[in-house]
């Protein structure tokens, strides 16, 4: 029997509706040698009481708390300091694992000595209960660290995994932004791995309107900061030019798409928030390296004659409006 220990980081913020289900799925694992580190990020609902109740009944649960709401990355880094497992993974407090998920992760690591990072089999769970496997848009199941980094830039492969503890502690969660910096850390973890391997360990990822990626708040635009921070990390790591091109193209799309989202939802934000979003867009659009953008992209959007920030704003409205119209024709 393989008795390696797994530390599971669970950042918690106002998820009382799902928290019990999450914790029950962790405590119900067939592999018992686990450490569940729950970090309450200054919740204002009943989440702290739920955490205390579960911790009082099972010594494998450790509860830590932030005095003020600090975001997922800082919360997970706090938990990381207390992790004693051979492997470390994170589980969002509204998500769940299949009962044998940790056991399958352990088995995958044991059978593949060069594998430093094991990806879950990610299942998307809708609010109506519908389950849909994540569409990894590649037939490969084993990647070099560099391959995994490149494919994760535009999420051809997902970023939910377990990692050898020494790598995770050497590369903690990036704290560039409060809500999207874990995307940066995923890429850095992949790049630091000798081998990244997809497993059969099922992770149920809940999708709902309250998530940051769906909610219409100013935090949605933290993606500008995270994308730019990732660019700087990739340059520091001397990544090959193809990777830099892929990242800059993905960054361009994020800028275009989010400017369109802002344009059609402008009234959802205060005057001050509108100003902050505009200033953030202007700054990050100006930092784009046009030499890394493919010519086909520039020609398709007639981008060349309208280079510059104002040109991007114009084409964001044109490009996304046209795309929405074409999509509506197929419905």
């Amino acid at each position: 029997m393989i008795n390696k220990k797994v530390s599971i980081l669970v950042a918690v913020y106002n998820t009382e509706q799902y928290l019990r289900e999450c914790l029950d799925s962790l405590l119900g694992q067939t592999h018992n040698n686990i450490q569940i580190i729950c970090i309450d990020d200054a919740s204002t609902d009943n989440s702290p009481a739920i955490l205390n109740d579960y911790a009082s009944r099972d010594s494998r649960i450790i509860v830590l708390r932030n005095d003020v709401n600090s975001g997922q990355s800082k919360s997970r880094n706090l938990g990381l300091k207390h992790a004693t497992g051979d492997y470390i993974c994170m589980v969002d407090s509204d998500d769940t694992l299949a009962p044998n998920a940790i056991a399958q992760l352990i088995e995958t690591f044991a059978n593949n000595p060069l594998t430093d990072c094991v990806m879950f089999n990610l299942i998307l769970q809708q609010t109506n209960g519908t389950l849909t496997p994540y569409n990894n848009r590649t037939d490969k199941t084993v990647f070099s660290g560099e391959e995994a980094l490149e494919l994760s830039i535009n999420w051809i492969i997902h970023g939910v995994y377990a990692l050898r503890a020494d790598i995770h502690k050497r590369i903690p969660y990036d704290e560039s932004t409060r809500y999207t910096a874990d995307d940066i850390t995923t890429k850095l973890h992949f790049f630091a791995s000798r081998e990244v391997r997809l497993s059969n360990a099922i992770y149920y990822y809940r999708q709902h309107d309250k998530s940051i990626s769906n909610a219409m708040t100013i935090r949605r635009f933290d993606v500008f900061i995270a994308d730019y921070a990732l660019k700087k990390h990739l340059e520091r790591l001397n990544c090959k030019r193809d990777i830099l091109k892929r990242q800059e193209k993905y960054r361009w799309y994020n800028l275009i798409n989010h400017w369109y989202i802002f344009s059609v939802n402008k009234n959802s934000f205060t005057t001050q928030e509108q100003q902050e979003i505009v200033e953030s867009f202007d700054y990050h659009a100006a930092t784009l390296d046009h030499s890394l953008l493919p010519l086909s992209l520039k020609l398709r959007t007639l981008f060349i004659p309208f280079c510059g920030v104002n040109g991007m704003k114009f084409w964001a409205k044109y490009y996304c409006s046209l795309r929405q119209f074409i999509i509506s024709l197929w419905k």
Side-chain angles (χ1 to χ4, degrees), residues 196-213:
V196 177
R197 185 177 295 267
L198 181 64
S199 74
N200 293 320
I202 294 178
Y203 182 114
Y204 295 103
Y205 181 85
R206 195 184 303 271
Q207 296 189 305
H208 51 80
D209 294 338
K210 293 182 180 180
S211 66
I212 292 298
S213 59

Side-chain angles (χ1 to χ4, degrees), residues 14 25 35 47 62 68 70 93 98 122 127 152 157 164 183 197 226 229 233 241 243 260 276 312:
N14 289 351
S25 80
Q35 176 192 36
S47 294
I62 298 173
V68 296
S70 304
S93 58
L122 191 64
T127 53
S152 68
I157 60 174
R164 293 189 185 277
D183 290 351
R197 185 177 295 267
H233 280 297
R241 188 168 176 82
I243 291 178
Y260 175 75
E276 289 180 20
M312 283 192 67

Side-chain angles (χ1 to χ4, degrees), residues 225-249:
I225 304 171
D227 281 352
Y228 186 59
L230 177 58
K231 175 184 180 177
K232 290 302 187 182
H233 280 297
L234 298 181
E235 290 173 342
R236 176 179 57 82
L237 293 170
N238 293 316
C239 288
K240 63 183 184 181
R241 188 168 176 82
D242 284 349
I243 291 178
L244 296 176
K245 284 182 176 180
R246 187 186 288 254
Q247 166 61 14
E248 204 70 343
K249 179 180 177 181

